Amino acid sequence: MTITLTDAALYAGALFILFLTPGPVWVALIARAMSGGFHAAWPLALGVVVGDVIWPLVAVLGVTWIVSVFDGFMIALRWIACLMFLGMGWLIIRNRDATIATDSRLTRPGMWAGFMAGVVVILGNPKAILFYMGVLPGFFDLSLLTWPDIAAICFLSMIVPLLGNLVLARFVGQARQLLTSPEALRRTNVTAGILLIAVGLVIPFT
């Protein structure tokens, strides 16, 4: 493997910060947990895993091919990753009071319905691959990655959100208060935004 423990830890930390940012997965997970408990929510978390593995894999392979064709592409992508984190952090802070809407189609009862809801949530957003294409080069030199490196990246991309989603589903009562309290949502978004900006500032020096 060519990636270091420091690289992996920084990437895992960034994934965890992104998990803390409320979004469609949070909404669907909490809605299912509130309607059917943990039993109804964990299949959705497993469905999300599908996209959490596919998107980074596609991004790594796609960017690696681009790098093999265009010299200097890695340097450009590193700064793109930096700007993406700074921009995401600023937008979250700017919209710190915005609430999130839910979709009843994602809360249908049944384990299979929950699993497919997770797949739909994560694969139904084409911006995910653009995110990974912009972010991964900020943490790893994709031109040097081996298959064990790619497997490790996909594993981190899968396990960090999965553990977070399972814990969120287990403590859905507390999560419900977090989303329904405007002040708590504001504090969460401000904190997540600041942390994302911090990651963006660190990337150029790693």
Side-chain angles (χ1 to χ4, degrees):
M1 292 180 64
T2 64
I3 62 176
T4 66
L5 288 177
T6 301
D7 294 333
L10 183 60
Y11 179 60
L15 288 172
F16 181 69
I17 294 170
L18 290 173
F19 161 76
L20 292 177
T21 305
V25 173
W26 266 42
V27 173
L29 192 72
I30 291 173
R32 290 190 66 84
M34 286 191 299
S35 62
F38 182 75
H39 178 75
W42 70 261
L44 185 140
L46 292 184
V48 173
V49 166
V50 174
D52 285 336
V53 172
I54 290 177
W55 286 133
L57 179 61
V58 172
V60 168
L61 297 179
V63 173
T64 301
W65 176 81
I66 295 174
V67 168
S68 68
V69 177
F70 300 100
D71 293 334
F73 194 72
M74 287 299 302
I75 297 176
L77 283 183
R78 179 174 291 271
W79 285 103
I80 290 174
C82 170
L83 294 175
M84 283 187 68
F85 271 99
L86 293 174
M88 288 167 54
W90 165 245
L91 287 174
I92 290 174
I93 294 174
R94 182 181 179 184
N95 299 287
R96 55 190 175 273
D97 297 317
T99 57
I100 319 169
T102 188
D103 186 343
S104 60
R105 292 174 297 179
L106 300 178
T107 59
R108 291 176 181 148
M111 294 178 60
W112 179 249
F115 178 83
M116 290 307 299
V119 174
V120 168
V121 167
I122 197 68
L123 293 185
N125 183 7
K127 291 185 292 184
I129 189 171
L130 298 177
F131 165 78
Y132 278 110
M133 288 187 71
V135 166
L136 284 174
F139 295 93
F140 313 106
D141 186 345
L142 301 188
S143 62
L144 301 178
L145 292 182
T146 62
W147 279 108
D149 294 324
I150 296 175
I153 291 171
C154 289
F155 176 76
L156 288 174
S157 301
M158 169 197 73
I159 197 65
V160 173
L162 175 62
L163 292 177
N165 287 332
L166 291 176
V167 170
L168 178 61
R170 177 65 70 180
F171 296 99
V172 66
Q174 296 177 1
R176 181 182 181 183
Q177 293 178 3
L178 180 67
L179 288 182
T180 54
S181 168
E183 184 59 30
L185 180 60
R186 176 189 176 92
R187 288 197 302 267
T188 299
N189 282 334
V190 169
T191 300
I194 292 173
L195 291 174
L196 286 172
I197 290 174
V199 172
L201 293 175
V202 168
I203 285 176
F205 304 101
T206 58

